[in-house]
């Protein structure tokens, strides 16, 4: 009778030792990854290029605004687009805003600061386009709302494992398509507000933004078929075109007196 408690205690200690051994083995198998030390050199270079490009662009856009007799909302928005992106790129370059995701089939590097960047700058870009076309408030709200949903769905998918993450990607793609439809149907207005500049900026935005869901599905967030250096390089170039290139093209075509006096886009009133 006295041997049973001793055997039970011995068994419990043995099981506890085995569980501790398993945990130690798992910890040894899991590599310790720290950023920015474990970035490939090419990734650090691309992130630095992105930061410098956005930083210089923000300074130029700020100067273009304050050097005018009358500053415009579009100048202010364009400055904030570049400034927010510069902060995001610097954070990623310094090792912040990035997660080493080990829950997927293979370890992935997820730059969640990129989504924080776009949930702010995406709506600002759309607001610039809406202001250029003199769109009404419901038009702007529709564009901004769908853009925010697109970014949020993409972020949730990036932090989720397969197969669920692909459903989030599909959802984000649907919201992005709605944004494109609104841009084409409602911003290219019959009254001609914005002219050729609006059409050029709208198509520039659509074509560049198509890159992001494609890179998502083949990059770290999706299948992982694309190397991290290639992914970061493509995203950096796309960001510079979508924000800095967009900003210079927009501000070069802004006419402040006309912008203040033009009425709302009447063709969008049917959606109120």
């Amino acid at each position: 009778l006295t041997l049973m408690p001793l055997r039970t205690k011995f068994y419990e200690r043995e099981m506890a030792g085995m569980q501790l051994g398993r945990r130690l083995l798992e910890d040894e198998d899991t590599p310790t990854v720290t950023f920015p030390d474990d970035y490939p050199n090419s990734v650090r270079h691309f992130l630095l290029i992105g930061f410098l490009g956005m930083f210089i662009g923000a300074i130029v856009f700020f100067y273009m605004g304050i050097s005018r007799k009358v500053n415009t909302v579009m100048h202010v928005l364009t400055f904030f687009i570049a400034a927010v992106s510069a902060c995001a790129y610097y954070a990623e370059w310094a090792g912040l805003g990035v997660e080493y995701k080990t829950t997927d089939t293979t370890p992935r590097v997820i730059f969640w600061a990129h989504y924080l960047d776009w949930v702010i700058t995406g709506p600002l870009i759309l607001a610039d386009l809406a202001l250029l076309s003199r769109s009404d408030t419901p038009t702007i709200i529709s564009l901004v709302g769908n853009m925010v949903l697109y970014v949020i769905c993409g972020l949730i998918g990036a932090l989720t494992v397969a197969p669920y993450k692909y459903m989030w990607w599909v959802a984000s793609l649907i919201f992005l398509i709605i944004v494109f439809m609104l841009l084409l149907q409602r911003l290219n207005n019959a009254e001609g507000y914005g002219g050729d500049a609006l059409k050029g900026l709208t198509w520039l935005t659509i074509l560049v933004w198509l890159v992001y869901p494609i890179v998502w599905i083949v990059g770290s967030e999706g299948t992982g078929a694309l190397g991290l250096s290639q992914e970061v390089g493509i995203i950096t170039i796309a960001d510079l075109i979508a924000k800095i290139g967009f900003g210079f093209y927009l501000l070069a075509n802004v006419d402040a007196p006309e912008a203040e006096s033009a009425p709302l886009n009447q063709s969008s009133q049917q959606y109120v």
Side-chain angles (χ1 to χ4, degrees):
L1 294 175
T2 56
L3 292 176
M4 292 301 295
L6 293 175
R7 289 179 180 176
T8 302
K9 291 181 179 179
F10 177 78
Y11 177 75
E12 291 177 350
R13 290 177 181 177
E14 186 178 4
M15 292 300 297
M18 292 174 63
Q19 291 176 358
L20 178 61
R22 288 196 192 98
R23 286 197 295 266
L24 290 174
L25 288 174
E26 289 175 357
D27 292 340
E28 289 177 0
D29 293 338
T30 303
T32 301
V33 178
T34 57
F35 299 110
D37 296 336
D38 289 325
Y39 281 147
N41 287 333
S42 55
V43 169
R44 297 199 69 181
H45 294 159
F46 280 127
L47 293 175
L48 183 59
I49 290 171
F51 162 67
L52 293 175
M54 298 297 179
F55 180 73
I56 295 171
I59 293 175
V60 174
F61 295 151
F62 181 78
Y63 176 78
M64 291 175 69
I66 64 173
S67 62
R68 296 172 62 90
K69 292 182 179 179
V70 178
N71 202 350
T72 69
V73 175
M74 283 180 278
H75 280 81
V76 175
L77 292 179
T78 306
F79 160 72
F80 278 118
I81 290 169
V84 170
S85 293
C87 293
Y89 268 99
Y90 183 80
E92 292 172 348
W93 178 77
L96 302 175
V98 57
E99 176 184 341
Y100 188 65
K101 179 182 174 185
T102 58
T103 56
D104 218 322
T105 53
T106 58
R108 310 290 175 88
V109 178
I110 305 298
F111 293 96
W112 58 263
H114 178 75
Y115 296 91
L116 183 61
D117 169 9
W118 271 98
V119 82
I120 299 173
T121 58
L124 294 182
I125 292 173
L126 295 175
D128 267 337
L129 289 171
L131 289 171
L132 187 62
S133 68
R134 313 295 167 255
S135 297
D136 58 5
T137 302
T139 300
I140 300 175
I141 293 175
S142 297
L143 286 167
V144 169
N146 282 285
M147 183 66 193
V148 170
L149 288 173
Y150 156 69
V151 177
I152 291 176
C153 288
L155 174 59
I156 296 175
L159 300 177
T160 310
V161 298
Y164 309 105
K165 65 180 180 181
Y166 297 115
M167 294 303 299
W168 286 106
W169 177 78
V170 171
S172 70
L173 190 60
I174 291 173
F175 290 119
L176 184 61
I177 291 173
I178 294 174
V179 170
F180 291 165
M181 291 174 60
L182 292 172
L183 286 176
L184 292 174
Q185 294 176 5
R186 298 161 75 173
L187 292 186
N188 289 318
N189 54 85
E191 289 85 354
Y193 295 135
D196 293 335
L198 176 65
K199 294 180 180 179
L201 287 167
T202 299
W203 280 110
L204 173 67
T205 299
I206 291 175
L207 292 176
V208 176
W209 284 15
L210 280 173
V211 172
Y212 296 105
I214 296 174
V215 173
W216 194 103
I217 199 66
V218 299
S220 295
E221 290 90 343
T223 62
L226 192 66
L228 182 63
S229 298
Q230 291 84 354
E231 177 184 352
V232 174
I234 293 172
I235 292 297
T236 301
I237 294 172
D239 278 353
L240 290 172
I241 296 174
K243 297 173 181 179
I244 303 303
F246 173 93
F248 279 115
Y249 190 5
L250 171 68
L251 298 185
N253 290 277
V254 169
D255 183 15
E258 181 181 345
E260 294 296 330
S261 61
L264 287 175
N265 176 2
Q266 298 300 317
S267 65
S268 62
Q269 297 298 319
Q270 57 182 311
Y271 298 97
V272 177

